[in-house]
Amino acid sequence: MTPPENAVRTRADRPVRPIDETTPHQTDEQPFDHPGAFPAEVPPVAVDFGQAAEVTAKTVSSPTGKIPTTFAGDALAGTADTSLGDTPTSTGIGTRGAGAVTAAGDSAAPRATVATASGRAVPRMSAGWAVFHVPRVGTSAAVAGGTVVSLAPGLLPRTPSAQAILTALMVLIGLGLAAILRMALRWTRFGIEQLPRGRVPALVVGMTLVGAAMSYAEHWQNTLRATMGVEGIGAGYWVRWLAWTVPLVAAVVALARGVRWVVRRSGPVRSIAAGVALVLAGQLVIVPTVVQWRRAAYAAANSSVDPELPQPDSPARSGSPASMASWPSLGAEGRKFVAGTPARTVRVYVGVNSAPDLDSRVALAIRELERTGGLQRRNLVVTVPTGSGWIDSDAAKGLDARFGGDVALVGLQYSDAPSWVTFVFGRGAAEESARALFRAVEQRISALPDPPKLYIYGQSLGALGGSAVFTDDADQDRRTCGALWAGPPAGQVHHGRATVLANASDPVVHWSPALLWRAPDLTGTRPDAPVPHWLPVISFLQTTADLLGALNAPPGHGHRYGADQGTVLPGC
């Protein structure tokens, strides 16, 4: 069959549609045997398949004139060099964007120049066979900005893995914000793609800022570590940091792209339906299951008895054979408290499993004080534990030293969950428990002819719970001989005659939502280490990250307080 005169042929001699010189788009399979099909010069033209990207191809010579060919793709960008012979050769780059096809003579065509929708060339860097597309301006800014924020000065020394987690989180937040901004600019027809010439400068500036931030972070970390007696960091620290950060960011980005692919494949209706179903499943099934699982884990940890921890045999201790509060019922932290030294101190402790409810536990604590002879001691300290029931052993030793052993300590567990969980979800339990115990002890000793002097002590969440016993400073001073609060969150305790121990490096003392917009009040804190200047938002993020390692600091720093918790307790 003879093709019509106005038809052209491909290399496979297949007829294709007629080509008119005024046609705005060219096909991606160019004719080579029809000299009249193209003019001598044709400007580069892009075919848009939905991505609004454009590729310009360098013009090359052929027997029929100069033949430019361009295409735009959404999923694959590449370049293809086609010789005048029968065998084409091509190279492709698996990157979302645009590519170019060129026809050449006997030698390969020059590399194509990638352009954006505005027609401006996008920079590329090549090294041998590899071609690296310079990141968008927004991507460079997000990665550099997130990294710089994560490396801002903190309160405590930080391990490479902890720093990597913070860096990955900040970079991912930055990438998310950049994506949202990019979408908004596209909707207004002003996209970041219109700034291709800024990609290389943005990359260079970003890398410079990250390098400077790393240098200053190393200086700050080494200053903190020298003050706290911890070994400094060097190049190995940053290698491990990078080895953690890159996989974390890559994994989350890959997951996000996978979700986006599923959403695009499913369509808007199915995606919305799936999202609603997932939210309902989370609220009705996943969240309750996780909460129940964690509660069971906390309860199991609290009930677990350490065989290496000896049960006290002194009748002056709860949990002893003579005690009305059994050894297993005291909980993991209660057993450590009553088994501590020195042995001359009366230590009474009632766990959440020692009695069925709060009133019963309070009554049991009073009976235990009577049984152990605690009411006959000259000094009685109500110790309010943290969320898990922990009472600092250093504080107990300091109180023993403060009163020469003539003291009784009494504590009441109100939760078996970690302090941060109780602080967020059950802070009221700490306050209610402290009020009930203090009131009962106060009433009981008021009936004694020679009552002991009454004190109160609490650390962290225990400080908040203990301070909640009183209405104000005057009420606290009137009802106690002395009070000591160690590491109170954001310093939110009554002062009066109380002694407040707060390390300047303790993130618990710094942290509060108000840290987002105002500097913390560090009045009365101990200057145990350098404190970074407050910066809006950034200081809040850095302090939040430091909370995770607050108890891992060396003694006397961070959220770790020593025997001075007892020795500096004020008197009447």
Side-chain angles (χ1 to χ4, degrees):
M1 179 178 177
T2 304
E5 293 182 358
N6 62 343
V8 296
R9 298 180 184 274
T10 64
R11 289 186 300 275
D13 293 331
R14 291 178 295 169
V16 296
R17 65 179 178 82
I19 299 179
D20 185 40
E21 294 180 4
T22 61
T23 302
H25 298 291
Q26 300 294 337
T27 63
D28 61 348
E29 192 171 30
Q30 297 301 321
F32 292 91
D33 57 348
H34 191 67
F38 292 92
E41 292 283 342
V42 180
V45 183
V47 180
D48 188 353
F49 292 118
Q51 179 58 24
E54 178 179 333
V55 181
T56 59
K58 291 186 177 180
T59 305
V60 296
S61 300
S62 74
T64 60
K66 296 180 179 179
I67 308 173
T69 306
T70 65
F71 69 92
D74 185 51
L76 178 67
T79 64
D81 298 332
T82 305
S83 67
L84 292 180
D86 293 332
T87 306
T89 60
S90 63
T91 61
I93 302 169
T95 305
R96 185 170 180 264
V101 178
T102 64
D106 295 334
S107 61
R111 188 176 63 190
T113 302
V114 181
T116 63
S118 62
R120 299 177 183 176
V122 175
R124 297 193 306 179
M125 298 179 181
S126 63
W129 57 270
V131 179
F132 169 66
H133 289 267
V134 179
R136 293 169 173 170
V137 174
T139 301
S140 296
V143 173
T147 304
V148 169
V149 169
S150 73
L151 295 176
L155 295 170
L156 296 171
R158 203 170 288 165
T159 62
S161 57
Q163 181 61 60
I165 292 173
L166 178 61
T167 300
L169 180 61
M170 293 297 100
V171 169
L172 291 169
I173 291 175
L175 290 173
L177 294 176
I180 294 173
L181 178 61
R182 189 178 296 117
M183 291 173 59
L185 293 176
R186 282 177 178 172
W187 289 338
T188 58
R189 297 185 179 278
F190 180 80
I192 297 179
E193 290 86 359
Q194 294 181 346
L195 304 173
R197 296 184 184 275
R199 292 191 177 193
V200 172
L203 179 63
V204 173
V205 171
M207 294 176 64
T208 302
L209 290 176
V210 169
M214 291 173 61
S215 177
Y216 186 74
E218 181 172 333
H219 167 74
W220 180 260
Q221 282 285 307
N222 285 333
T223 301
L224 285 178
R225 289 165 180 260
T227 303
M228 299 181 183
V230 181
E231 184 180 359
I233 65 174
Y237 178 94
W238 298 111
V239 171
R240 294 191 295 273
W241 165 73
L242 196 63
W244 276 87
T245 304
V246 173
L248 288 173
V249 174
V252 176
V253 170
L255 178 62
R257 289 185 175 181
V259 171
R260 183 181 64 180
W261 181 84
V262 171
V263 169
R264 287 180 174 179
R265 294 278 295 181
S266 302
V269 176
R270 292 182 179 179
S271 298
I272 293 175
V276 172
L278 185 60
V279 170
L280 292 177
Q283 292 181 342
L284 300 178
V285 179
I286 299 176
V287 172
T289 301
V290 171
V291 170
Q292 188 61 32
W293 166 56
R294 293 314 304 160
R295 284 179 176 173
Y298 298 147
N302 184 63
S303 301
S304 178
V305 178
D306 183 2
E308 301 296 327
L309 187 66
Q311 180 181 2
D313 54 9
S314 170
R317 299 293 175 96
S318 294
S320 66
S323 175
M324 292 177 284
S326 66
W327 173 248
S329 73
L330 300 185
E333 299 299 339
R335 289 189 288 272
K336 295 176 184 177
F337 172 69
V338 300
T341 56
R344 61 184 180 176
T345 307
V346 172
R347 297 192 186 188
V348 171
Y349 192 93
V350 175
V352 292
N353 297 324
S354 299
D357 54 49
L358 177 59
D359 292 338
S360 300
R361 290 193 288 271
V362 170
L364 178 58
I366 299 299
R367 294 198 300 272
E368 278 288 283
L369 278 174
E370 295 171 344
R371 183 194 63 78
T372 57
L375 297 180
Q376 282 69 53
R377 298 293 176 108
R378 294 303 305 160
N379 305 281
L380 176 58
V381 181
V382 175
T383 57
V384 185
T386 62
S388 60
W390 177 66
I391 298 175
D392 195 338
S393 60
D394 286 335
K397 293 176 181 177
L399 292 169
D400 176 86
R402 166 73 170 79
F403 298 111
D406 191 11
V407 62
L409 311 179
V410 56
L412 188 69
Q413 185 182 19
Y414 51 86
S415 171
D416 54 16
S419 286
W420 72 268
V421 175
T422 309
F423 179 81
V424 174
F425 301 106
R427 178 174 171 178
E431 299 173 352
E432 183 182 7
S433 173
R435 288 193 191 102
L437 178 61
F438 188 88
R439 188 182 303 114
V441 171
E442 189 177 37
Q443 292 175 353
R444 181 66 184 86
I445 64 176
S446 66
L448 298 176
D450 186 19
K453 296 177 181 179
L454 185 59
Y455 299 84
I456 189 169
Y457 156 80
Q459 181 183 147
S460 192
L461 182 57
L464 291 183
S467 182
V469 171
F470 314 104
T471 57
D472 52 27
D473 291 358
D475 185 46
Q476 174 182 276
D477 294 343
R478 178 178 58 83
R479 297 171 64 186
T480 67
C481 190
L484 189 144
W485 313 124
Q492 297 175 353
V493 291
H494 296 305
H495 287 70
R497 292 198 310 266
T499 298
V500 180
L501 291 180
N503 295 327
S505 63
D506 188 352
V508 175
V509 174
H510 287 248
W511 193 92
S512 74
L515 192 59
L516 284 165
W517 60 84
R518 69 167 180 243
D521 182 6
L522 300 180
T523 304
T525 58
R526 299 188 298 189
D528 62 296
V531 177
H533 294 292
W534 174 80
L535 296 172
V537 181
I538 295 178
S539 293
F540 175 83
L541 296 173
Q542 288 289 336
T543 304
T544 302
D546 285 329
L547 286 173
L548 300 177
L551 289 174
N552 297 328
H557 303 283
H559 200 51
R560 294 187 63 183
Y561 298 87
D564 56 349
Q565 294 175 91
T567 56
V568 299
L569 178 69
C572 297

